[in-house]
Amino acid sequence: MNARLLILCSVLCLAATPGSAASRLDGRWQLDPTRSSALNFWRTFEVTIATAGDQVVLTRILGYGDRSAREVFELDLTRAVNRVPVDWWADNRYMGLYIGGDGAKHVRATWLDDGRTLRLDSTFAVTTQQGEKTVNILSDYKVSLSGDELTLVELRSSRLQPFVYVFKRATL
């Protein structure tokens, strides 16, 4: 009986670790536009998350007709900062801003809420008509308890109001 109790406790402890809970974020997620902040130019927003231990690959695809923007974050959670090269800032909403600095987002990634939330703290430079400015974006990707909904809350240093995007798990 004690052996069974020990095995049960071990399994429950493993299930509560961030590495195993984080896999609930894995998959393809499609935006529910009726419950989300406006995308303005873009019409579709899809997120794909793949985790393997301390490695996370997060892919964002924004689309409008035959035009799309794809951004891939290859993150190592053991690193203090991940350098993610970007060609352009797809979230740029008619602001005339372009990626500046070293052409990369500098991303700190951490697990919160026992692995239910992936937080990305991104800093990058943009070029404006007035010169270069630093932008910080705090992005929380949080999966629902049922595992069928993903909410992205994005707070930008350049805005007072956060963006909130709600995604449904995509079916094959």
Side-chain angles (χ1 to χ4, degrees):
M1 184 66 162
N2 286 340
R4 285 185 183 173
L5 185 58
L6 181 62
I7 291 170
L8 178 61
C9 287
S10 297
V11 169
L12 290 175
C13 286
L14 286 174
T17 61
S20 60
S23 64
R24 295 187 334 202
L25 287 167
D26 286 358
R28 201 174 98 230
W29 302 89
Q30 292 178 323
L31 183 72
D32 179 349
T34 62
R35 298 178 55 211
S36 301
S37 297
L39 290 175
N40 292 334
F41 174 78
W42 304 110
R43 296 291 180 251
T44 62
F45 188 2
E46 184 176 292
V47 173
T48 302
I49 300 172
T51 60
D54 290 324
Q55 307 299 311
V56 176
V57 177
L58 187 144
T59 305
R60 296 168 18 114
I61 300 173
L62 294 156
Y64 179 78
D66 62 350
R67 185 173 180 177
S68 67
R70 184 172 187 263
E71 197 172 41
V72 179
F73 294 80
E74 293 183 9
L75 306 168
D76 181 345
L77 277 71
T78 64
R79 291 181 157 186
V81 177
N82 293 269
R83 186 180 180 278
V84 179
V86 291
D87 295 326
W88 63 296
W89 185 21
D91 295 310
N92 179 2
R93 290 178 164 76
Y94 311 111
M95 295 181 281
L97 304 175
Y98 303 94
I99 292 294
D102 63 354
K105 290 184 179 181
H106 300 269
V107 183
R108 288 170 294 289
T110 54
W111 290 117
L112 303 173
D113 305 326
D114 294 322
R116 276 191 52 223
T117 303
L118 175 63
R119 172 168 286 170
L120 304 184
D121 184 351
S122 306
T123 303
F124 57 99
V126 292
T127 301
T128 71
Q129 290 179 349
Q130 294 78 29
E132 282 205 350
K133 304 288 182 197
T134 300
V135 174
N136 176 263
I137 301 176
L138 192 59
S139 306
D140 283 354
Y141 293 83
K142 185 171 192 159
V143 69
S144 64
L145 290 174
S146 63
D148 64 346
E149 189 171 279
L150 179 73
T151 302
L152 166 59
V153 177
E154 209 169 70
L155 185 58
R156 299 179 186 176
S157 59
S158 58
R159 293 183 51 95
L160 293 176
Q161 297 296 318
F163 290 98
V164 178
Y165 303 107
V166 178
F167 298 84
K168 292 291 183 187
R169 191 176 290 280
T171 55
L172 297 176

